[in-house]
Amino acid sequence: MTRIELRNLTKTYSSAGKEVAAVDNVVAAIEPGEFFFLLGPSGCGKTTLLRMIAGLIEPTRGAVLFDGVDVTWTSVEGRNTAMVFQNYALWPHMTVGQNVRFGPRMRGMKSDKCNEVVQRNLHRVQMVDYAARKPNQLSGGQQQRVALARALAANPACLLLDEPLSNLDARLRLHMRGQLRRIVKESGATTIYVTHDQKEALSMADRLAVMDRGGIVQIGTPQEVYHRPATRFVADFMGEANFIDGRIASTTGPGGVTCVVTPAGRIMAGGACGGGDAATCCVRPERVAILGAEDPLSNRYDSVLHAAVEADTFLGEIRQYVCRLDDDTRWKVTCLSGLGETFPEGGKVKLCFNKDDVSVLA
Ligand code: ADP
Ligand code: MG
């Protein structure tokens, strides 16, 4: 297990005579044994950052530390990391067993010890029965498990995974999430996993870093990043989100309440907000309750906005409304569906939520 520290890590490329930062001044610390995600849209610098940690790309500025030791200029081999790629990269002419055996053997491990390492790691990924097969006789999910076993056979202190599930079909990807998390946590390796898929990160990560245009925008647990997004970009990227701009009318001390006045009504937000009086409120659609215009139950909520239903979509387990607030802002509301009251298109409603369901964005 290794603690990984990134200090002002930067990689610039020159493009048409201009310096462009693929990774821009990244600062982060990943704890020993942590399953850490780099999440962001395509082109935001995830692969470049991961490859600098592996030693495959030299940084322009900044440092990588493993357990406090500067490894910025240490070779790939000297770092005790192992990497798994999107396209498996198994050797096609070797059997599954030989693929896993190759690394330990090359490092001079004795033959019977190698057998043990191969067995143990194939067992970890539940591929013992396939040891004699060639990669082209395996499904994509099985190939990716072998790639993982091969990476783990090196007994790496750090495991680096670059979109390892992206080549699999949707069902298998879902199934592999749980398996991969189990295998990674059992191995004890500090693991960094790169993905553009927010559901993958939310469902597997201990903590995640959201990246945008080369920089890290927010680091936190899945719950924190989803329910307390720091910026509009993070809120949007992590899932559906409703926004409305307003200004802070009053705020009380720490742990208190902030009142934001918006063109659609007053919104109460948990916690004190400092810095300037303009504010954007963000509320997730599943945290909004939709009630009839005359329903007295709205008294139980901290904030109530009046709206009209524009669209109503039944999706089986959930029902989704699009509503228009008094200032014409559109908000989405998601409810668990049932045989209870529904709200017709064109009808007047109240959108209700509590202060802890509101994030005031920077
Ligand atoms: P991601 O993995 O998040 O999709 P990358 O790290 O691959 O993003 O790329 C980040 C940015 O850096 C992109 O704009 C990409 O075009 C650019 N980039 C990556 N590698 C090079 C390179 N070798 N030369 C020039 N630009 C590059
Ligand atoms: Mg990439």
Side-chain angles (χ1 to χ4, degrees), residues 73-86:
W73 305 104
T74 305
S75 69
V76 179
E77 297 75 25
R79 295 189 188 199
N80 194 17
T81 60
M83 202 150 163
V84 175
F85 303 92
Q86 180 174 344

Side-chain angles (χ1 to χ4, degrees), residues 13-14 21-23 40-49 162-163 194:
Y13 290 108
S14 44
V23 171
S42 175
C44 73
K46 305 180 295 293
T47 295
T48 307
L49 180 54
D162 195 350
E163 311 247 7
V194 160

